[in-house]
């Protein structure tokens, strides 16, 4: 079985698992055991990654390298798991 986390692109898996592990370990565990996230889980991922992104803005509100990585990771997650494809 491929889990939600397993299906993420390698380049973003580490940052997503790291942030979820720090901010919401229960969510990380759930995504490591499910083939597809729920809408609620997707919203929580968006919240965690968005909060982390805002913490990594530099001068002029431009994202730092880490901020850009987090933003790209969120984009990859939403591309893989768009809301219209998720079940409640």
């Amino acid at each position: 079985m491929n889990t939600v986390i397993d299906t993420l692109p390698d380049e973003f898996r580490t940052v997503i698992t790291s942030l979820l592990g720090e901010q919401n370990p229960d969510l990380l565990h759930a995504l490591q055991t499910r083939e597809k996230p729920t809408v609620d889980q997707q919203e929580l991922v968006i919240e965690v990654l968005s909060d982390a992104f805002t913490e990594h803005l530099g001068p002029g509100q431009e994202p730092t390298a880490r901020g850009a990585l987090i933003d790209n990771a969120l984009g990859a997650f939403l591309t893989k798991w768009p809301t219209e494809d998720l079940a409640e």
Side-chain angles (χ1 to χ4, degrees):
M1 167 178 89
N2 283 327
T3 69
V4 174
I5 298 298
D6 292 338
T7 62
L8 294 172
D10 291 340
E11 62 190 299
F12 303 123
R13 188 177 305 127
T14 300
V15 71
I16 290 174
T17 57
S18 173
L19 290 169
L20 292 178
E22 293 170 11
Q23 301 298 318
N24 195 330
D26 292 338
L27 174 60
L28 175 59
H29 177 71
L31 297 178
Q32 289 172 322
T33 60
R34 294 182 55 93
E35 291 185 46
K36 186 179 195 179
T38 65
V39 172
D40 289 341
Q41 289 170 335
Q42 181 204 50
E43 289 173 3
L44 290 170
V45 169
I46 292 169
E47 182 180 311
V48 168
L49 295 182
S50 295
D51 288 349
F53 172 76
T54 61
E55 293 173 7
H56 294 282
L57 295 174
Q61 298 300 313
E62 289 295 318
T64 63
R66 175 99 172 145
L69 177 63
I70 292 167
D71 187 48
N72 291 336
L74 177 56
F77 183 89
L78 293 175
T79 298
K80 177 66 181 167
W81 302 111
T83 302
E84 59 270 9
D85 289 351
L86 304 180
E88 280 295 325

